[in-house]
Amino acid sequence: MKLPAELQAYFDKCTDKLGFIPNVLQAYAFDVPKLQTFVDLYNDLMLAPSGLSKLEREMIAVAVSSQNRCYYCLVAHGAAVRALSGDPVLGELMVMNYRAARLSKRHRAMLDFAVKVTTESWKIEEEDRDALRRAGFSNRDIWDIAAVAGFYNMSNRVASATDMRPNSAYHAQAR
C-alpha cells in the first residue's frame, strides 16, 4: 500500500532509528486514517512533553500489558524498559510481575494505579488519586498515567484479537 508522504517519512524514520518498521504500524497500514490516528495518539502519549519520563510511560505500557497478557506489547515495550533503564533485569521483572521489582514508591504508586485502571477502573476513588499526589504526581500526571494505561488497554486488545506478533528484533534488544 502506498502511504501518504508524512506516514512514509514516519516509517522511514522508524527504519533509520530502529532498523525495522514495528509490526504494529504495518498492521494498521491497511487503513491510512486508522494508522494516522494510532501514530498521532502514540506520539502524543508516549513522546510529547509530560511530567512522566519516557521510561515511566514504557513501564506503564508493560504493567498494563502484563495484566492483559499481550504478547506483542510485552515483547516490544519490555525491550524499551530494558533499553531506557539500562537494566535488563528490571525489564524482565516488569514483564513478569512489576511487584517483584525493587521500585521507588513513586513508580510503585504509578503502576498500582495503572493496573487498577486496567482491572478495576470502576473502583478508582479520590484516595487512589491522593496516593499518586503523595508520591509526587500532579493532577496532569495522573491524567497522563490514566491516558497511557487506557491506550495500552485498547492496543493490547487489538493486538491480541488480530494475532499481532512483535518484530523478532525486539527479543534481543538491550540484553
Side-chain angles (χ1 to χ4, degrees), residues 5-6 10 22-23 39 50 54 72 81 92 102 112 124 136 146 155 159 161 172-173:
E6 180 181 318
Y10 188 76
N23 286 343
V39 166
S50 171
K54 175 72 172 139
Y72 184 101
V81 168
E92 296 304 315
R102 291 188 175 97
D112 286 346
I124 294 172
S155 294
Q173 288 180 335

Side-chain angles (χ1 to χ4, degrees), residues 16-133:
D16 291 342
K17 186 176 177 183
L18 301 172
F20 58 90
I21 299 166
N23 286 343
V24 65
L25 298 178
Q26 303 223 37
Y28 274 93
F30 79 95
D31 187 324
V32 170
K34 283 182 179 46
L35 172 61
Q36 187 66 61
T37 299
F38 178 87
V39 166
D40 290 345
L41 189 53
Y42 172 87
N43 287 341
D44 180 61
L45 293 173
M46 298 301 285
L47 303 174
S50 171
L52 304 178
S53 70
K54 175 72 172 139
L55 173 60
E56 288 171 330
R57 290 180 265 190
E58 291 290 350
M59 291 170 76
I60 293 167
V62 173
V64 166
S65 299
S66 181
Q67 290 299 304
N68 292 326
R69 297 182 177 98
C70 178
Y71 176 59
Y72 184 101
C73 290
L74 285 171
V75 171
H77 297 284
V81 168
R82 290 192 306 269
L84 291 168
S85 69
D87 184 353
V89 173
L90 175 64
E92 296 304 315
L93 281 167
M94 292 291 306
V95 165
M96 296 304 294
N97 177 5
Y98 75 93
R99 292 170 190 91
R102 291 188 175 97
L103 299 174
S104 67
K105 288 182 182 182
R106 173 183 169 88
H107 289 157
R108 179 60 188 255
M110 174 187 76
L111 297 176
D112 286 346
F113 186 82
V115 166
K116 193 167 186 178
V117 167
T118 301
T119 61
E120 299 179 307
S121 61
W122 63 92
K123 290 185 177 180
I124 294 172
E125 297 180 350
E126 192 60 27
E127 68 188 52
D128 298 297
R129 290 179 290 274
D130 283 341
L132 289 171
R133 290 183 193 104

